[in-house]
Amino acid sequence: MKNKIIKISVIWGLIAGLVCFLFFLSIYAVDDNPLIKKRPDIGINILFIFLATWIYKKRRKGYLHFYEGFSIGFLTNLIAALFSGLAIYLFLKFYDIQPYLNWNAYSKQFLLEQKEALDTVLNEESFNLQLKSFDEIKPYRVILDDLMFKQFAIVAIMLISMALRKQGDAIS
């Protein structure tokens, strides 16, 4: 059973990651800052999490335990985020670094514009360290950013797992 969970998660995670990368490329074709506008791709992950879980349940004659659904969802999401993050990183590294530079400049400018609002949270020294960190960030950061952001799908994973679960005498 564990191998079936891993297999379906890898397959659907890679497909989801590829679709997220294609989504990034489509934004890249029409916008000079595709990294700032690719956030809706979490919906792609959620769709493929649902598909992977539903197909697993269907293959098991309608039976699905919560832990199976959660495992499939978590692994599918993790693999998709890793694949899309790595694909975007390789695109930036070997094809066009400009989207990364635009994203970094936009983030730095946003921080500067929000300085007054952040005064209650960050002191001057912390603000300056945060500002300086933008000059030291490397393009591999897009991989970590994708991994971190897509963890918000955990809520959807739990809801999908609860909605699709059906317990009983499961078929192995």
Coordinates of all heavy atoms in Angstrom, one line a residue, residues 9-78:
S9 N 1.6 9.5 -5.9 CA 2.0 10.9 -5.5 C 3.1 11.4 -6.5 O 3.1 12.6 -6.9 CB 2.5 10.9 -4.1 OG 1.5 10.5 -3.2
V10 N 4.0 10.6 -6.8 CA 5.1 11.0 -7.7 C 4.6 11.3 -9.1 O 4.9 12.3 -9.7 CB 6.2 9.9 -7.8 CG1 7.2 10.2 -8.9 CG2 7.0 9.8 -6.5
I11 N 3.7 10.4 -9.6 CA 3.2 10.7 -11.0 C 2.4 12.0 -11.0 O 2.7 12.8 -11.9 CB 2.3 9.5 -11.4 CG1 3.2 8.2 -11.6 CG2 1.5 9.8 -12.6 CD1 2.4 6.9 -11.8
W12 N 1.4 12.1 -10.1 CA 0.6 13.3 -10.2 C 1.3 14.6 -9.7 O 1.0 15.7 -10.1 CB -0.7 13.1 -9.4 CG -1.6 12.1 -10.1 CD1 -1.7 10.8 -9.9 CD2 -2.4 12.5 -11.3 NE1 -2.6 10.3 -10.8 CE2 -3.0 11.3 -11.7 CE3 -2.6 13.6 -12.0 CZ2 -3.8 11.2 -12.8 CZ3 -3.5 13.6 -13.1 CH2 -4.1 12.4 -13.5
G13 N 2.3 14.4 -8.8 CA 3.1 15.5 -8.4 C 4.0 16.1 -9.5 O 4.1 17.3 -9.7
L14 N 4.6 15.2 -10.3 CA 5.3 15.6 -11.5 C 4.5 16.3 -12.5 O 4.9 17.3 -13.1 CB 6.1 14.4 -12.1 CG 7.3 13.9 -11.2 CD1 7.8 12.6 -11.9 CD2 8.3 14.9 -11.0
I15 N 3.3 15.7 -12.7 CA 2.4 16.3 -13.7 C 2.0 17.7 -13.2 O 2.0 18.7 -14.0 CB 1.1 15.4 -14.0 CG1 1.5 14.2 -14.7 CG2 0.1 16.2 -14.8 CD1 0.4 13.1 -14.7
A16 N 1.6 17.9 -11.9 CA 1.2 19.2 -11.4 C 2.4 20.1 -11.5 O 2.2 21.3 -11.8 CB 0.8 19.0 -9.9
G17 N 3.6 19.7 -11.2 CA 4.8 20.6 -11.3 C 5.0 21.0 -12.7 O 5.3 22.2 -12.9
L18 N 4.8 20.1 -13.6 CA 5.0 20.5 -15.0 C 3.9 21.6 -15.5 O 4.2 22.5 -16.1 CB 4.9 19.3 -16.0 CG 5.0 19.5 -17.5 CD1 6.3 20.2 -17.8 CD2 4.7 18.3 -18.2
V19 N 2.7 21.3 -15.1 CA 1.6 22.3 -15.4 C 1.9 23.6 -14.7 O 1.7 24.7 -15.3 CB 0.2 21.7 -15.0 CG1 -0.9 22.8 -15.2 CG2 -0.1 20.5 -15.8
C20 N 2.4 23.6 -13.5 CA 2.8 24.9 -12.8 C 3.9 25.6 -13.6 O 3.9 26.8 -13.7 CB 3.2 24.7 -11.4 SG 1.8 24.2 -10.3
F21 N 4.9 24.9 -14.1 CA 5.9 25.5 -14.8 C 5.4 26.0 -16.1 O 5.8 27.1 -16.5 CB 7.1 24.4 -15.1 CG 8.2 25.0 -15.9 CD1 9.0 26.0 -15.4 CD2 8.5 24.5 -17.2 CE1 10.0 26.6 -16.2 CE2 9.5 25.0 -17.9 CZ 10.3 26.1 -17.4
L22 N 4.5 25.3 -16.8 CA 3.9 25.8 -18.0 C 3.1 27.1 -17.7 O 3.1 28.0 -18.6 CB 3.0 24.8 -18.7 CG 3.8 23.5 -19.2 CD1 2.8 22.5 -19.7 CD2 4.8 23.9 -20.3
F23 N 2.4 27.1 -16.6 CA 1.7 28.3 -16.2 C 2.7 29.5 -16.0 O 2.4 30.6 -16.5 CB 1.0 28.1 -14.8 CG 0.2 29.2 -14.3 CD1 -1.0 29.6 -14.9 CD2 0.7 29.9 -13.2 CE1 -1.7 30.7 -14.4 CE2 0.0 31.0 -12.7 CZ -1.2 31.4 -13.3
F24 N 3.8 29.2 -15.4 CA 4.9 30.3 -15.3 C 5.3 30.8 -16.6 O 5.5 32.0 -16.9 CB 6.1 29.7 -14.5 CG 7.3 30.6 -14.6 CD1 7.4 31.7 -13.8 CD2 8.3 30.2 -15.5 CE1 8.6 32.5 -13.9 CE2 9.5 31.0 -15.6 CZ 9.6 32.2 -14.8
L25 N 5.6 29.8 -17.6 CA 6.0 30.2 -18.9 C 4.9 31.1 -19.6 O 5.3 32.0 -20.4 CB 6.3 29.0 -19.7 CG 7.6 28.2 -19.3 CD1 7.8 27.0 -20.2 CD2 8.8 29.1 -19.4
S26 N 3.7 30.7 -19.4 CA 2.6 31.5 -20.0 C 2.6 32.9 -19.5 O 2.4 33.9 -20.2 CB 1.3 30.8 -19.9 OG 0.8 30.8 -18.6
I27 N 2.8 33.1 -18.2 CA 2.9 34.4 -17.6 C 4.1 35.1 -18.1 O 4.1 36.3 -18.4 CB 2.9 34.4 -16.1 CG1 1.6 33.8 -15.6 CG2 3.1 35.7 -15.5 CD1 1.6 33.5 -14.1
Y28 N 5.2 34.4 -18.2 CA 6.5 35.0 -18.7 C 6.3 35.5 -20.1 O 6.9 36.6 -20.5 CB 7.6 33.9 -18.7 CG 8.9 34.3 -19.4 CD1 9.8 35.1 -18.7 CD2 9.2 33.9 -20.7 CE1 11.0 35.5 -19.4 CE2 10.3 34.2 -21.3 CZ 11.2 35.0 -20.6 OH 12.4 35.4 -21.2
A29 N 5.5 34.9 -20.9 CA 5.3 35.3 -22.3 C 4.6 36.7 -22.4 O 4.8 37.4 -23.4 CB 4.5 34.3 -23.1
V30 N 3.8 37.0 -21.4 CA 3.0 38.3 -21.4 C 3.4 39.3 -20.4 O 2.9 40.4 -20.4 CB 1.5 38.0 -21.3 CG1 1.1 37.2 -22.5 CG2 1.2 37.3 -20.0
D31 N 4.3 39.0 -19.5 CA 4.6 39.9 -18.4 C 6.1 39.9 -18.0 O 6.7 38.8 -18.1 CB 3.8 39.5 -17.1 CG 3.7 40.6 -16.1 OD1 4.8 41.2 -15.8 OD2 2.6 40.8 -15.5
D32 N 6.6 41.0 -17.6 CA 8.0 41.1 -17.3 C 8.4 40.7 -15.9 O 9.5 40.6 -15.5 CB 8.6 42.5 -17.6 CG 8.0 43.6 -16.7 OD1 6.9 43.3 -16.2 OD2 8.6 44.6 -16.6
N33 N 7.3 40.4 -15.1 CA 7.6 40.0 -13.7 C 6.7 38.8 -13.4 O 5.8 38.9 -12.6 CB 7.3 41.1 -12.7 CG 7.9 40.9 -11.4 OD1 8.4 39.8 -11.1 ND2 7.9 41.9 -10.5
P34 N 6.9 37.6 -14.0 CA 6.1 36.5 -13.8 C 6.1 35.9 -12.5 O 5.2 35.2 -12.0 CB 6.6 35.5 -14.9 CG 8.0 35.9 -15.1 CD 8.0 37.4 -15.0
L35 N 7.2 36.1 -11.7 CA 7.4 35.5 -10.4 C 6.4 36.1 -9.4 O 6.0 35.4 -8.5 CB 8.8 35.6 -9.9 CG 9.8 34.7 -10.7 CD1 11.2 35.1 -10.2 CD2 9.6 33.3 -10.4
I36 N 6.0 37.3 -9.6 CA 5.1 38.0 -8.7 C 3.7 37.6 -8.9 O 2.8 37.7 -8.1 CB 5.3 39.5 -8.7 CG1 4.8 40.2 -7.4 CG2 4.6 40.2 -9.8 CD1 5.7 39.9 -6.3
K37 N 3.4 37.1 -10.2 CA 2.0 36.8 -10.6 C 1.7 35.3 -10.7 O 0.7 34.9 -11.1 CB 1.7 37.5 -11.9 CG 1.8 39.0 -11.8 CD 1.3 39.7 -12.9 CE 1.2 41.2 -12.6 NZ 1.8 42.0 -13.5
K38 N 2.6 34.5 -10.2 CA 2.4 33.0 -10.4 C 1.7 32.4 -9.2 O 1.5 31.2 -9.1 CB 3.7 32.3 -10.7 CG 4.7 32.2 -9.5 CD 5.9 31.4 -9.9 CE 6.7 31.0 -8.8 NZ 6.0 30.0 -7.9
R39 N 1.3 33.2 -8.2 CA 0.7 32.6 -7.0 C -0.5 31.8 -7.2 O -0.8 30.8 -6.5 CB 0.4 33.7 -6.0 CG 1.7 34.3 -5.4 CD 2.4 33.3 -4.7 NE 3.6 33.9 -4.0 CZ 4.7 33.2 -3.7 NH1 4.8 31.9 -4.0 NH2 5.7 33.8 -3.2
P40 N -1.4 32.1 -8.2 CA -2.5 31.3 -8.4 C -2.2 29.8 -8.8 O -3.1 29.0 -8.8 CB -3.3 31.9 -9.6 CG -2.8 33.3 -9.6 CD -1.4 33.3 -9.1
D41 N -1.0 29.5 -9.0 CA -0.6 28.1 -9.4 C -0.8 27.2 -8.2 O -0.8 25.9 -8.4 CB 0.8 28.0 -10.0 CG 1.9 28.2 -9.0 OD1 1.6 28.7 -7.9 OD2 3.1 28.0 -9.4
I42 N -1.1 27.7 -7.0 CA -1.4 26.8 -5.9 C -2.7 26.0 -6.2 O -2.9 24.9 -5.8 CB -1.4 27.5 -4.6 CG1 -1.4 26.5 -3.4 CG2 -2.6 28.4 -4.5 CD1 -1.2 27.1 -2.0
G43 N -3.6 26.7 -7.0 CA -4.8 26.0 -7.4 C -4.6 24.8 -8.3 O -5.3 23.8 -8.2
I44 N -3.6 24.9 -9.1 CA -3.2 23.8 -9.9 C -2.8 22.6 -9.0 O -3.2 21.5 -9.2 CB -2.0 24.2 -10.9 CG1 -2.5 25.2 -11.9 CG2 -1.5 22.9 -11.6 CD1 -1.4 25.9 -12.7
N45 N -2.0 22.9 -8.0 CA -1.6 21.8 -7.1 C -2.8 21.2 -6.4 O -2.9 20.0 -6.3 CB -0.6 22.4 -6.0 CG 0.8 22.4 -6.5 OD1 1.1 22.5 -7.7 ND2 1.7 22.5 -5.6
I46 N -3.7 22.0 -5.9 CA -4.9 21.5 -5.2 C -5.7 20.6 -6.2 O -6.2 19.6 -5.8 CB -5.7 22.7 -4.6 CG1 -4.9 23.3 -3.5 CG2 -7.0 22.2 -4.1 CD1 -5.4 24.6 -3.0
L47 N -5.9 21.0 -7.4 CA -6.6 20.2 -8.4 C -5.9 18.9 -8.6 O -6.6 17.8 -8.5 CB -6.7 20.9 -9.7 CG -7.3 20.1 -10.9 CD1 -8.8 19.9 -10.6 CD2 -7.1 20.9 -12.2
F48 N -4.6 18.8 -8.7 CA -3.9 17.5 -8.9 C -3.9 16.7 -7.6 O -3.8 15.5 -7.7 CB -2.6 17.8 -9.5 CG -2.6 18.0 -11.0 CD1 -2.6 19.3 -11.5 CD2 -2.8 17.0 -11.9 CE1 -2.7 19.6 -12.8 CE2 -2.9 17.2 -13.2 CZ -2.8 18.5 -13.7
I49 N -3.9 17.4 -6.5 CA -4.0 16.6 -5.2 C -5.3 15.9 -5.1 O -5.4 14.7 -4.8 CB -3.9 17.6 -4.0 CG1 -2.4 18.1 -3.9 CG2 -4.3 16.9 -2.7 CD1 -2.2 19.3 -3.0
F50 N -6.4 16.6 -5.5 CA -7.7 16.0 -5.5 C -7.8 14.8 -6.5 O -8.3 13.8 -6.2 CB -8.8 17.0 -5.9 CG -10.2 16.4 -6.0 CD1 -10.9 16.2 -4.9 CD2 -10.7 16.1 -7.3 CE1 -12.2 15.6 -5.0 CE2 -11.9 15.5 -7.4 CZ -12.7 15.3 -6.3
L51 N -7.2 15.0 -7.7 CA -7.2 14.0 -8.7 C -6.4 12.7 -8.2 O -6.9 11.6 -8.4 CB -6.6 14.5 -10.0 CG -7.5 15.4 -10.9 CD1 -6.7 15.9 -12.1 CD2 -8.7 14.6 -11.4
A52 N -5.3 13.0 -7.7 CA -4.5 11.8 -7.2 C -5.2 11.1 -6.1 O -5.2 9.8 -6.1 CB -3.1 12.3 -6.7
T53 N -5.8 11.8 -5.2 CA -6.5 11.2 -4.1 C -7.8 10.4 -4.6 O -8.0 9.3 -4.2 CB -6.9 12.2 -3.0 OG1 -5.8 13.0 -2.7 CG2 -7.5 11.6 -1.8
W54 N -8.5 11.0 -5.5 CA -9.7 10.4 -6.0 C -9.4 9.1 -6.8 O -10.0 8.1 -6.7 CB -10.4 11.4 -6.9 CG -11.7 10.9 -7.5 CD1 -12.9 10.8 -6.8 CD2 -11.9 10.5 -8.8 NE1 -13.8 10.2 -7.7 CE2 -13.2 10.0 -8.9 CE3 -11.1 10.4 -9.9 CZ2 -13.8 9.5 -10.1 CZ3 -11.6 9.9 -11.1 CH2 -12.9 9.5 -11.2
I55 N -8.3 9.2 -7.6 CA -7.9 8.0 -8.4 C -7.4 6.9 -7.5 O -7.8 5.7 -7.7 CB -6.8 8.4 -9.4 CG1 -7.4 9.2 -10.6 CG2 -6.1 7.2 -10.0 CD1 -6.4 9.9 -11.5
Y56 N -6.7 7.2 -6.4 CA -6.3 6.2 -5.5 C -7.5 5.6 -4.8 O -7.6 4.3 -4.7 CB -5.4 6.9 -4.4 CG -4.9 5.9 -3.4 CD1 -3.8 5.1 -3.6 CD2 -5.6 5.7 -2.2 CE1 -3.3 4.2 -2.6 CE2 -5.1 4.9 -1.2 CZ -4.0 4.1 -1.4 OH -3.6 3.2 -0.5
K57 N -8.5 6.4 -4.5 CA -9.7 5.8 -3.8 C -10.4 5.0 -4.8 O -10.9 3.9 -4.5 CB -10.6 7.0 -3.4 CG -11.9 6.6 -2.8 CD -12.7 7.7 -2.4 CE -14.1 7.2 -1.8 NZ -14.9 8.3 -1.4
K58 N -10.5 5.4 -6.1 CA -11.3 4.6 -7.1 C -10.6 3.3 -7.3 O -11.3 2.2 -7.4 CB -11.3 5.4 -8.4 CG -12.1 4.8 -9.4 CD -12.2 5.7 -10.7 CE -13.0 4.9 -11.7 NZ -13.0 5.6 -13.0
R59 N -9.3 3.2 -7.3 CA -8.5 2.0 -7.5 C -8.7 1.0 -6.3 O -8.4 -0.2 -6.5 CB -7.0 2.3 -7.8 CG -6.8 2.9 -9.1 CD -5.3 3.1 -9.4 NE -5.1 3.7 -10.7 CZ -4.0 4.2 -11.1 NH1 -2.9 4.2 -10.3 NH2 -3.9 4.8 -12.2
R60 N -9.0 1.6 -5.2 CA -9.2 0.7 -4.0 C -10.7 0.4 -3.7 O -11.1 0.2 -2.6 CB -8.6 1.5 -2.8 CG -7.1 1.6 -3.0 CD -6.3 1.5 -1.8 NE -7.1 0.8 -0.8 CZ -6.7 0.6 0.4 NH1 -5.5 0.9 0.7 NH2 -7.4 0.0 1.3
K61 N -11.5 0.5 -4.8 CA -12.9 0.1 -4.7 C -13.7 1.1 -3.8 O -14.6 0.6 -3.1 CB -13.1 -1.3 -4.3 CG -12.3 -2.3 -5.1 CD -13.1 -3.0 -6.1 CE -12.4 -4.1 -6.8 NZ -11.7 -3.9 -8.0
G62 N -13.3 2.3 -3.8 CA -14.0 3.3 -3.0 C -13.6 3.5 -1.6 O -14.2 4.3 -0.8
Y63 N -12.5 2.8 -1.1 CA -12.1 3.0 0.3 C -10.8 3.8 0.3 O -9.9 3.7 -0.4 CB -11.8 1.6 0.9 CG -13.0 0.8 1.1 CD1 -13.4 -0.1 0.1 CD2 -13.8 1.0 2.2 CE1 -14.6 -0.9 0.3 CE2 -15.0 0.3 2.4 CZ -15.4 -0.6 1.5 OH -16.5 -1.3 1.6
L64 N -10.9 4.7 1.3 CA -9.7 5.6 1.6 C -9.7 6.0 3.0 O -10.7 6.5 3.5 CB -9.9 6.9 0.7 CG -8.8 8.0 0.9 CD1 -7.5 7.5 0.2 CD2 -9.3 9.3 0.4
H65 N -8.6 5.8 3.7 CA -8.5 6.3 5.1 C -7.9 7.7 5.0 O -7.2 8.1 4.1 CB -7.5 5.3 5.8 CG -8.0 4.0 6.0 ND1 -8.9 3.7 7.0 CD2 -7.8 2.8 5.4 CE1 -9.2 2.4 7.0 NE2 -8.6 1.9 6.0
F66 N -8.2 8.4 6.1 CA -7.7 9.8 6.1 C -6.2 9.9 6.0 O -5.7 10.7 5.2 CB -8.1 10.5 7.5 CG -7.5 11.8 7.6 CD1 -8.1 12.9 7.0 CD2 -6.4 12.1 8.4 CE1 -7.6 14.2 7.1 CE2 -5.9 13.4 8.5 CZ -6.5 14.4 7.9
Y67 N -5.4 9.0 6.6 CA -4.0 9.1 6.6 C -3.5 8.8 5.1 O -2.5 9.3 4.7 CB -3.3 8.1 7.6 CG -3.4 6.6 7.2 CD1 -2.4 6.1 6.4 CD2 -4.4 5.8 7.6 CE1 -2.4 4.7 6.1 CE2 -4.5 4.5 7.3 CZ -3.5 3.9 6.5 OH -3.5 2.6 6.1
E68 N -4.2 8.0 4.4 CA -3.8 7.7 3.0 C -4.0 9.0 2.1 O -3.2 9.4 1.4 CB -4.6 6.6 2.4 CG -4.3 5.2 3.0 CD -5.3 4.1 2.6 OE1 -6.6 4.4 2.5 OE2 -4.9 3.0 2.3
G69 N -5.2 9.6 2.3 CA -5.5 10.8 1.5 C -4.6 11.9 1.9 O -4.1 12.6 1.0
F70 N -4.2 12.0 3.2 CA -3.3 13.1 3.6 C -1.9 12.8 3.1 O -1.2 13.7 2.6 CB -3.3 13.2 5.1 CG -2.6 14.4 5.6 CD1 -3.2 15.7 5.6 CD2 -1.2 14.3 6.0 CE1 -2.5 16.8 6.0 CE2 -0.5 15.4 6.4 CZ -1.1 16.7 6.4
S71 N -1.5 11.6 3.1 CA -0.2 11.2 2.6 C 0.0 11.5 1.1 O 0.9 12.1 0.7 CB 0.1 9.7 2.9 OG 0.2 9.5 4.3
I72 N -1.1 11.1 0.4 CA -1.1 11.4 -1.1 C -1.0 12.9 -1.3 O -0.2 13.3 -2.1 CB -2.3 10.7 -1.7 CG1 -2.1 9.2 -1.7 CG2 -2.5 11.2 -3.2 CD1 -3.4 8.5 -2.0
G73 N -1.9 13.6 -0.6 CA -1.9 15.0 -0.8 C -0.6 15.7 -0.5 O -0.2 16.6 -1.2
F74 N -0.1 15.4 0.6 CA 1.2 16.0 1.1 C 2.3 15.7 0.1 O 3.0 16.6 -0.3 CB 1.5 15.6 2.5 CG 2.7 16.3 3.0 CD1 2.7 17.6 3.5 CD2 4.0 15.6 3.0 CE1 3.8 18.2 4.0 CE2 5.1 16.3 3.5 CZ 5.0 17.6 4.0
L75 N 2.5 14.5 -0.2 CA 3.6 14.1 -1.2 C 3.4 14.7 -2.6 O 4.3 15.1 -3.2 CB 3.7 12.6 -1.2 CG 4.3 11.9 0.0 CD1 4.2 10.4 -0.2 CD2 5.7 12.3 0.2
T76 N 2.1 14.6 -3.1 CA 1.9 15.2 -4.4 C 2.2 16.7 -4.4 O 2.9 17.2 -5.3 CB 0.4 15.0 -4.8 OG1 0.1 13.6 -4.7 CG2 0.1 15.6 -6.1
N77 N 1.8 17.4 -3.3 CA 2.1 18.9 -3.2 C 3.6 19.1 -3.1 O 4.1 20.0 -3.8 CB 1.3 19.4 -2.0 CG 1.4 20.9 -1.9 OD1 1.2 21.6 -2.9 ND2 1.8 21.4 -0.8
L78 N 4.3 18.3 -2.3 CA 5.7 18.5 -2.1 C 6.5 18.3 -3.4 O 7.3 19.1 -3.8 CB 6.2 17.6 -1.0 CG 7.7 17.6 -0.7 CD1 8.0 19.0 0.0 CD2 8.0 16.5 0.3

